[in-house]
Amino acid sequence: VRAECVEIQGRYGTSGMGVPSVITAVAVGGAFLQGHVLAVDSSKGSATWDDQEILTDFPSIFEVDGLVRATFGSEGEHIDPGLKLMRLRSIEVELPLGIKLVVNRWPD
């Protein structure tokens, strides 16, 4: 997604379980984040804000007032119903302009 003030980019690949064509990482940036970049890599289990690792503890919260609120925990539901019997480890992000992002990390 490329708009005047919002940029969202995804990387596709194969899951740890061998499933092809899944989103393995997503990055969000642009003027609406004042030049900052949030990146989440579901396959590596990492999240960064301007290349600095965030959400390293489970559960945890990362917040920059007015820009981002991200939580890493077990609340919510699996995006893929086929994984519903596996432990949920999800990052939920609230961004300006009402943009919300949910990333389920692959099970260990």
Side-chain angles (χ1 to χ4, degrees):
V1 174
R2 291 201 193 279
E4 188 172 318
C5 66
V6 178
E7 296 179 17
I8 302 173
Q9 185 173 356
R11 182 175 64 225
Y12 290 84
T14 303
S15 74
M17 300 169 79
V19 177
S21 297
V22 297
I23 296 175
T24 59
V26 64
V28 182
F32 87 119
L33 288 181
Q34 301 175 0
H36 296 282
V37 176
L38 172 73
V40 179
D41 189 322
S42 62
S43 61
K44 292 181 182 175
S46 65
T48 60
W49 177 257
D50 293 339
D51 293 322
Q52 299 297 312
E53 197 161 7
I54 60 171
L55 303 172
T56 56
D57 296 323
F58 183 81
S60 59
I61 297 173
F62 173 79
E63 190 166 8
V64 175
D65 193 37
L67 291 180
V68 62
R69 184 175 196 287
T71 60
F72 177 34
S74 59
E75 300 296 318
E77 297 179 20
H78 279 291
I79 294 170
D80 180 348
L83 298 175
K84 68 182 178 183
L85 297 178
M86 297 187 166
R87 183 173 72 156
L88 178 65
R89 295 171 61 90
S90 182
I91 294 176
E92 296 189 17
V93 182
E94 297 175 19
L95 299 165
L97 306 176
I99 296 173
K100 295 185 180 183
L101 177 69
V102 176
V103 178
N104 290 160
R105 289 187 174 171
W106 283 99
D108 297 331

